[in-house]
């Protein structure tokens, strides 16, 4: 597991994050395997029906990004200096807290306080967005203050008001991933990082996205990291000149 910096351990949100990860894991372990199978099968034969079943099954679930992956992402953001972050798939907002903490750390002491941290979250379910906001309030005013949650279908909510993007976390139903990335592409800075969850376990659903990320002609350089279910680490390197 990647090691968080000392400052992270002293952060008062540590206990909150541990609690939320535990709740998420317990909840996930209790999801009926046959309901999951029904969603998988439906997605193969009828996308709309599959999405409907998946949304119904997951409407009251965390399905939070794993803790080890979250810490890796947190460190990646620190090392890349990213301050403008977009999260594709927010749910109850667990991973969003890591993104906000890292972005906040990256602006500390910078340019006389003129560089702002911003994390755009995206969640289509109003009920999930309300719960996310509650946890962010628990995480504190600083965390809460940098998150701009867009509620609704992200393929609509991300069409406007996007500044240069430094980091993207794709933690979403696979069929939305490539359209979301395409929407953000014109705003991505050279060297922007994209992290995509479960690219081994959901490789079939992600096939279009992975083709784009792994295209030898670019504009991404991509590698699959051996986290549970696979984690794709991609860097946007458009050829210039
Ligand atoms: C895997 S969860 C995200 C988990 C979150 N990153 C975390 O670690 O807590 C994916 C979320 O994306 C949401 N979602 C799915 N399709 C969406 C869409 N088109 N627009 C916005 N949100 C969507 C789902 O409702 C679900 O809550």
């Amino acid at each position: 597991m990647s090691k968080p910096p000392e400052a992270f351990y002293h952060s008062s949100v540590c206990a909150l994050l541990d609690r939320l990860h535990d709740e998420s894991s317990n909840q996930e372990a209790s999801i009926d395997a046959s309901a999951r199978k029904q969603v998988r099968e439906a997605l193969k034969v009828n996308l709309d029906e599959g999405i409907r079943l998946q949304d119904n099954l997951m409407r009251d679930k965390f399905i939070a990004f794993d803790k080890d992956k979250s810490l890796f992402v947190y460190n990646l953001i620190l090392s890349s200096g990213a301050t403008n972050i977009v999260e594709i798939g927010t749910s109850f907002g667990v991973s969003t807290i890591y993104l906000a903490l890292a972005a906040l750390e990256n602006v500390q002491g910078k340019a006389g306080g003129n560089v702002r941290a911003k994390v755009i979250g995206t969640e289509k379910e109003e009920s999930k967005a309300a719960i996310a906001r509650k946890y962010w309030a628990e995480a504190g005013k600083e965390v809460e203050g940098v998150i701009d949650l867009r509620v609704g279908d992200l393929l609509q909510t991300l069409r406007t008001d996007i500044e240069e993007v430094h980091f993207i976390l794709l933690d979403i139903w696979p069929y939305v991933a490539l359209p979301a990335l395409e929407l953000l592409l014109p705003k991505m800075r050279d060297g922007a990082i994209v992290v995509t969850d479960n690219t081994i376990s959901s490789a079939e659903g992600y096939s279009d996205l992975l083709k784009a990320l792994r295209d030898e002609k670019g504009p991404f350089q991509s590698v699959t990291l051996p986290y549970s279910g696979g984690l794709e680490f991609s860097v946007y390197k458009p050829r210039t000149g």
Side-chain angles (χ1 to χ4, degrees), residues 4 9 12 28 30 44 73-74 92 101-102 133 141-142 157 161 171-172 182-183 218 227 230:
Y9 287 117
S12 59
E28 239 179 296
S30 72
K44 281 185 211 155
V73 157
Y74 175 83
F92 295 167
L101 288 172
R133 287 201 170 101
K141 282 208 177 328
E142 265 202 309
T157 63
D161 198 16
D171 187 19
I172 189 79
E182 285 172 344
L183 206 53
Y227 281 90

Side-chain angles (χ1 to χ4, degrees), residues 21 24 51 54-55 58-59 61-66 70 87-96 98-99 122-125 128 150-157 169-173 175-176 197-198:
H21 279 298
S24 179
I51 294 167
Q54 188 165 31
D55 287 343
M58 297 304 183
R59 192 162 289 119
K61 311 285 188 308
F62 277 87
I63 33 171
F65 196 52
D66 295 342
S70 299
E87 178 177 62
I88 301 297
T90 289
S91 189
F92 295 167
V94 181
S95 48
T96 332
Y98 289 88
L99 303 179
T122 52
E123 178 49 57
K124 70 175 171 184
E125 305 286 351
K128 296 190 104 173
R150 314 255 172 120
V151 184
D153 182 352
L154 61 88
L155 297 179
Q156 299 306 322
T157 63
L169 176 60
L170 286 173
D171 187 19
I172 189 79
W173 311 158
Y175 70 91
V176 195
D197 197 20
N198 290 329

Side-chain angles (χ1 to χ4, degrees), residues 14-24 134-135 138:
C14 242
L16 169 68
L17 288 170
D18 282 345
R19 191 186 96 214
L20 299 181
H21 279 298
D22 283 349
E23 281 185 44
S24 179
K134 187 169 74 81
Y135 293 139
E138 258 188 82

